[in-house]
Amino acid sequence: MVFSSNVFLCLFLPLTLAAYYLTPRRGRNLTLLLASLIFYGWGEPRHLGLMLLVIAINYVGGLALRARPARGVLAAVIGADLALLFAFKYAGFFCRSLSGIFGFGVPEAIAAITLPIGISFYIFQSMSYCIDVYRGAVEPQRDLIRFGTYVALFPQLIAGPIVRYRDIAAQLEQRRVQPRQIASGVALFVIGLGKKLLLANRMGLLWESLLPESGTAAAWVGMAAYTLQIYFDFSGYSDMAVGLGRMLGFEFLPNFDYPYLARSVTDFWRRWHISLSSWFREYVYIPLGGNRRGLPRQILNLLIVWALTGLWHGASWNFVLWGLYYALLLIAEKLFLLRAMQNRPVALRRGLTLLAVSLGWMLFCFEDLSQLFAFLPRLIVPVPLSGRAEDLILGYLPTLLVSCVAATPLARRVWEKHAQSRGAFRVLCALLALLFALCVAALASQSYNPFIYFRF
Amino acid sequence: MKDCKREWAVCLLFGLALLALCAGTLLSARDYSAREKRYLADAPTLSAAELLSGRFAAGTEAYMADHLPCRDALVGAAAYGDLLSGRLNTGEILRGASGRLYERPVRWDEETAEENLAAIRAFAEKTGLRTSLMLVPSAGFVLRDDLPRLHERYTDGEMIARCRALAGEEIALIDLTGPFETAEDRAGLYYATDHHWTSRGARTAAGAYLESVGRTITPAEGYAVESVPGFRGSTYARSALWLTPGEELELWNCGGSFAVTNSESDEAHEGLFYRERLGSDDPYTVFLDGNHALVHIENRDPDAEGSLLVIRDSFSNCLGCFLAEGYRTVVLADLRYYRLPLSELCAQEDFDALLVVYSLGNFLRESNLLWLE
């Protein structure tokens, strides 16, 4: 189930919230766990077993690590998590890659494996829990319901943010849902829904419509549209997750901080998918030695971490290349680029960073590298714009401009400036109500489908 | 509580909105959408097999999507939002300066054009019938002065010329771009809310054909015209711009006597117009009862002579009413539904001529002409 679906908005969310608030406080985790399992198993119930297995492995693992905090126990639990992740996400990819080299066929059983939704998120969360228990940073959770709620918690289950156990351990035990928290959660959820349905989906449509059109400008605008799409899609989901979390009494850490205003690639990764970069820094980069073992080792560590970051995003070579692309940029910044750019105008630094990030998204977008190599020259070779592309660009221009403004903190600053003004709250409520209505209208129009015979 | 009054209000409003969505969807009594002309999704059946296969989830999503409360109003709001933001005219339906609704330009498909023309040529050769081809240009091409500033170029003229070149000399192409562009009331040739031509447009086209085969048609002023207000057609439904005003659907009666039968009914219908259809969801079916595999029109005028076979799409529902004036018998065959060899029909009926009529867009998408034999 996804947040931007009719089932979620019209059925799951109202029923879950009603059930949650009506449940006595001590039974709320159970309500939440059941709701989360329904949420997860909705589209593909057969993957529910995998989720329960991950919960069981890490629950037992946490208790075992408390009883005997040995490396061997940790290795066994992490190994089991990674084995599941490999089997369901990467086995097909590696078999296909090896079959390309050695010429054997991919076994049917492996080819038939489908990717369970959100597997990378909940396995990474579970691993962080066990590592933290091993390190003594948190006490293991003895209550299976509470632990299951942490792993399966539906707001962040399928698209993050990756919530570390220690950040919500206390909230799992005891939380009070305050109206202020719910109201801010509602606002954040509606804003996230708007980002997804009104901006991301439309930018996606523009990108797909411009892709087959000729023209250098079409390629650039298309790349900008994809850059905006991926930001609003992902940050919209994160906002909805944080908002839903607040409605349920949880406080998740923010996952995005206006990443397209970053002044360097290093800065970009402090602002983009913060929970993932924090996870890799804390659980991979620093344990590998980070920057404490000399420059050559640091460079190697960066290459390892970013190859893994790329692979985390998808089981395909383009994601690995995308990760290594960032590794090279970050290494260049550490060696000389940050210093060289230090005194340059901020606008130039932001512009170059955005260009690097946008080009990176093209690596991310095209799983088939031949398509990428066909697209990149279109950014350079001057070709006049096709009529259709011109129409698309001009027709989408207002949405593009709104999207560009929405990617900056302008609206937030305006609100902060006027929040205490008389009537500001009512205006905000009216805007949120309008935004919600537009989101439902966008959902409704997706299903509007006049019967085909009508055309002839 | 007092300190959080505003926050409580937000929670309450959001709760009510969710409740309205939930209750409105679950309690929906609608099972048919007149604007979409389709039955809405049924509630899914819950069973272990349906649940495990994921079909229950997919069925629930389809049901919820179809039964959203105030769905038509929401779809309309989204369409007007698109209009205001400028995106509407990048989609399937364009809104002209006058408020007319147009389908986006036809895309050329050389392969389909070649295949279809080869099929028509082969059929003409096999039957020995004098064969004409009429490709109806789109409203956006004929009324291009009315199009919004942002629009793709309509190249129907070039495409029809290319079809003429591909058709060869065996097939006479009835080029409507000339008569349509020089018509006095160009806007009156097409509906403002439907992709079809009006009775005026169909009469102009029928006149061009009948003249090409040495026959005549009643002068425009010779018809008794009956206007039916409030017609809103296919482009209206597809655009979801619900505030677009309705228009008049005209029935042009030449005063002749006609009997109509079709493949779905043996009973002869008196006259060309099925007036009971005017109150239905699709009033355009007033002409010859809409689409049928085979429609047989008998002109009872004792002076009428000759027999015409028309291979066609829905543009001939209205056109057929005018072609019937020039022949004793007109048979309309719709290859989307008619699956028997048409040459057998030709052997039975002794036709004098064959006319193939498609809108240009349909012709370039049509795959059933390949089955012509």
Side-chain angles (χ1 to χ4, degrees):
Chain A
M1 199 185 300
V2 292
F3 300 151
S4 52
S5 67
N6 292 287
V7 170
F8 181 80
L9 214 55
C10 302
L11 200 64
F12 182 84
L13 185 59
L15 295 182
T16 300
L17 288 179
Y20 184 75
Y21 295 135
L22 290 172
T23 307
R25 201 167 293 155
R26 60 194 166 85
R28 285 185 175 175
N29 279 339
L30 179 60
T31 305
L32 210 45
L33 175 60
L34 291 175
S36 298
L37 292 177
I38 292 171
F39 178 88
Y40 188 69
W42 182 250
E44 288 187 87
R46 61 207 165 104
H47 288 146
L48 210 50
L50 174 67
M51 161 69 75
L52 295 174
L53 185 61
V54 170
I55 291 173
I57 288 171
N58 290 279
Y59 173 73
V60 173
L63 294 178
L65 282 163
R66 170 69 175 148
R68 190 164 168 259
R71 270 178 182 252
V73 178
L74 179 67
V77 180
I78 298 296
D81 282 334
L82 289 177
L84 287 174
L85 186 63
F86 182 85
F88 282 93
K89 186 166 178 177
Y90 300 106
F93 164 62
F94 278 100
C95 275
R96 279 194 302 278
S97 300
L98 291 175
S99 76
I101 299 166
F102 300 110
F104 61 83
V106 179
E108 267 182 40
I110 290 178
I113 294 173
T114 55
L115 181 69
I117 195 164
I119 187 172
S120 306
F121 286 97
Y122 63 77
I123 284 195
F124 267 48
Q125 285 200 168
S126 305
M127 288 198 298
S128 77
Y129 162 77
C130 286
I131 296 168
D132 283 355
V133 170
Y134 169 75
R135 287 173 178 176
V138 289
E139 282 295 304
Q141 180 54 263
R142 293 174 191 284
D143 185 330
L144 181 59
I145 304 292
R146 277 187 201 143
F147 183 71
T149 307
Y150 161 67
V151 176
L153 196 59
F154 78 84
Q156 36 73 218
L157 181 59
I158 56 169
I162 300 169
V163 179
R164 284 175 306 190
Y165 177 75
R166 65 171 181 260
D167 292 331
I168 61 161
Q171 296 162 36
L172 280 166
E173 309 239 340
Q174 195 168 24
R175 58 186 178 276
R176 284 181 69 88
V177 192
Q178 304 288 350
R180 185 158 294 171
Q181 196 183 12
I182 301 177
S184 71
V186 167
L188 211 46
F189 175 77
V190 173
I191 289 169
L193 194 64
K195 281 184 178 180
K196 165 70 185 153
L197 287 171
L198 305 179
L199 299 179
N201 286 3
R202 282 161 192 186
M203 287 299 101
L205 200 60
L206 177 61
W207 161 242
E208 281 168 19
S209 306
L210 282 175
L211 204 51
E213 297 299 329
S214 62
T216 315
W220 280 95
V221 176
M223 185 169 77
Y226 184 76
T227 300
L228 288 164
Q229 181 202 357
I230 200 159
Y231 169 64
F232 287 117
D233 200 287
F234 203 176
S235 79
Y237 254 93
S238 287
D239 285 349
M240 285 189 270
V242 176
L244 288 167
R246 283 187 190 168
M247 288 185 223
L248 301 167
F250 289 95
E251 205 54 62
F252 303 145
L253 296 172
N255 211 18
F256 290 87
D257 181 21
Y258 304 104
Y260 292 156
L261 293 186
R263 298 174 185 196
S264 64
V265 172
T266 308
D267 187 24
F268 173 78
W269 279 103
R270 286 190 198 114
R271 294 161 173 261
W272 179 276
H273 202 174
I274 298 167
S275 62
L276 179 73
S277 31
S278 309
W279 197 99
F280 271 104
R281 189 176 60 247
E282 188 166 342
Y283 298 110
V284 183
Y285 182 67
I286 292 173
L288 283 173
N291 59 2
R292 301 185 309 275
R293 296 192 188 171
L295 189 62
R297 181 59 191 254
Q298 186 188 1
I299 289 172
L300 179 67
N301 290 344
L302 281 169
L303 286 168
I304 293 169
V305 164
W306 285 95
L308 290 174
T309 303
L311 207 52
W312 181 90
H313 281 85
S316 174
W317 285 112
N318 69 306
F319 292 113
V320 178
L321 286 178
W322 176 75
L324 292 174
Y325 166 80
Y326 274 109
L328 293 178
L329 288 175
L330 290 166
I331 290 166
E333 285 195 346
K334 285 200 190 309
L335 291 178
F336 64 93
L337 206 53
L338 274 183
R339 271 197 307 278
M341 296 298 289
Q342 206 169 16
N343 296 321
R344 305 284 175 196
V346 172
L348 178 69
R349 284 192 278 161
R350 281 184 171 153
L352 289 175
T353 305
L354 191 54
L355 177 65
V357 168
S358 302
L359 288 170
W361 288 135
M362 295 299 96
L363 260 173
F364 190 90
C365 171
F366 293 107
E367 284 197 26
D368 180 348
L369 291 176
S370 64
Q371 287 181 356
L372 172 74
F373 295 128
F375 176 81
L376 289 178
R378 289 179 52 191
L379 294 167
I380 303 162
V381 181
V383 173
L385 209 53
S386 73
R388 172 80 179 145
E390 193 180 335
D391 285 350
L392 284 165
I393 292 170
L394 291 174
Y396 275 81
L397 195 57
T399 318
L400 261 170
L401 293 175
V402 169
S403 301
C404 290
V405 173
T408 72
L410 186 72
R412 195 182 72 187
R413 283 186 189 151
V414 169
W415 168 246
E416 282 168 356
K417 194 176 171 188
H418 298 285
Q420 301 309 320
S421 311
R422 197 179 154 83
F425 190 77
R426 282 185 191 165
V427 172
L428 179 70
C429 285
L431 288 175
L432 285 174
L434 178 68
L435 186 57
F436 187 65
L438 289 174
C439 290
V440 179
L443 261 183
S445 70
Q446 282 173 12
S447 72
Y448 182 70
N449 178 27
F451 188 41
I452 194 77
Y453 90 75
F454 204 45
R455 289 176 56 84
F456 295 105
Chain B
M1 172 86 183
K2 196 179 169 187
D3 294 342
C4 301
K5 212 163 66 180
R6 299 195 310 186
E7 285 77 6
W8 274 115
V10 173
C11 300
L12 194 67
L13 276 176
F14 185 65
L16 284 175
L18 291 184
L19 184 68
L21 284 174
C22 184
T25 309
L26 293 180
L27 301 175
S28 164
R30 284 179 81 194
D31 59 357
Y32 180 73
S33 166
R35 282 183 164 141
E36 292 163 274
K37 294 183 175 42
R38 69 175 176 91
Y39 284 94
L40 300 176
D42 288 328
T45 317
L46 181 58
S47 70
E50 292 287 296
L51 199 63
L52 289 173
S53 67
R55 285 196 296 268
F56 180 76
T60 309
E61 178 61 25
Y63 178 84
M64 303 300 283
D66 271 4
H67 294 267
L68 263 182
C70 310
R71 183 162 167 269
D72 286 349
L74 289 167
V75 171
Y80 279 97
D82 284 350
L83 180 68
L84 284 174
S85 70
R87 270 194 320 277
L88 184 90
N89 291 334
T90 64
E92 291 299 311
I93 301 294
L94 284 70
R95 187 172 184 265
S98 66
R100 280 178 162 270
L101 302 170
Y102 299 93
E103 288 188 306
R104 66 179 283 194
V106 171
R107 293 243 164 175
W108 175 249
D109 183 339
E110 178 98 2
E111 194 182 338
T112 307
E114 273 181 8
E115 285 173 356
N116 286 345
L117 288 164
I120 296 168
R121 247 193 330 266
F123 186 73
E125 223 167 87
K126 184 174 181 180
T127 57
L129 291 172
R130 173 184 179 157
T131 302
S132 305
L133 171 66
M134 183 187 282
L135 296 172
V136 187
S138 54
F141 171 74
V142 177
L143 304 176
R144 48 193 175 276
D145 301 341
D146 183 49
L147 289 171
R149 202 175 62 79
L150 281 184
H151 68 84
E152 271 181 275
R153 205 161 72 84
Y154 284 76
T155 55
D156 298 41
E158 294 158 36
M159 289 190 246
I160 289 172
R162 178 70 185 140
C163 284
R164 183 201 290 276
L166 290 172
E169 287 174 1
E170 303 94 322
I171 304 172
L173 192 128
I174 312 295
D175 189 352
L176 295 177
T177 54
F180 275 26
E181 296 213 46
T182 54
E184 272 180 35
D185 178 17
R186 273 196 296 155
L189 299 174
Y190 292 91
Y191 290 108
T193 64
D194 193 277
H195 67 290
H196 289 112
W197 49 23
T198 59
S199 297
R200 183 179 295 279
R203 200 207 76 89
T204 307
Y209 172 70
L210 291 173
E211 193 183 311
S212 77
V213 292
R215 293 171 186 252
T216 54
I217 190 166
T218 310
E221 55 279 7
Y223 292 86
V225 178
E226 180 187 342
S227 296
V228 182
F231 173 63
R232 291 181 175 94
S234 60
T235 48
Y236 168 79
R238 286 164 63 200
S239 73
L241 296 172
W242 306 138
L243 301 179
T244 306
E247 59 185 319
E248 289 188 340
L249 184 146
E250 291 181 342
L251 309 179
W252 288 34
N253 194 338
C254 68
S257 172
F258 301 92
V260 181
T261 52
N262 62 51
S263 45
E264 279 77 44
S265 163
D266 292 334
E267 200 178 324
H269 182 271
E270 208 48 49
L272 301 166
F273 308 123
Y274 287 66
R275 288 170 197 282
E276 66 276 17
R277 292 290 190 175
L278 289 171
S280 72
D281 293 336
D282 191 0
Y284 190 76
T285 52
V286 68
F287 302 109
L288 304 179
D289 197 37
N291 298 333
H292 290 281
L294 217 55
V295 174
H296 193 280
I297 309 173
E298 196 67 40
N299 184 350
R300 292 192 182 120
D301 180 350
D303 295 335
E305 56 185 36
S307 184
L308 173 69
L309 172 64
V310 182
I311 297 173
R312 56 85 168 225
D313 62 9
S314 65
F315 277 70
S316 288
N317 292 339
C318 187
L319 179 76
C321 299
F322 292 99
L323 291 175
E325 292 174 27
Y327 289 89
R328 178 154 198 82
T329 308
V330 173
V331 175
L332 308 170
D334 190 330
L335 297 183
R336 286 169 296 169
Y337 312 110
Y338 190 79
R339 295 296 182 201
L340 300 171
L342 215 49
S343 51
E344 284 179 14
L345 186 73
C346 293
Q348 289 164 18
E349 294 275 350
D350 192 22
F351 293 112
D352 296 307
L354 167 66
L355 173 62
V356 180
V357 187
Y358 281 92
S359 74
L360 181 62
N362 283 349
F363 185 72
L364 294 174
R365 286 189 293 261
E366 177 63 274
S367 55
N368 293 302
L369 278 166
L370 299 179
W371 302 106
L372 200 55
E373 56 174 289

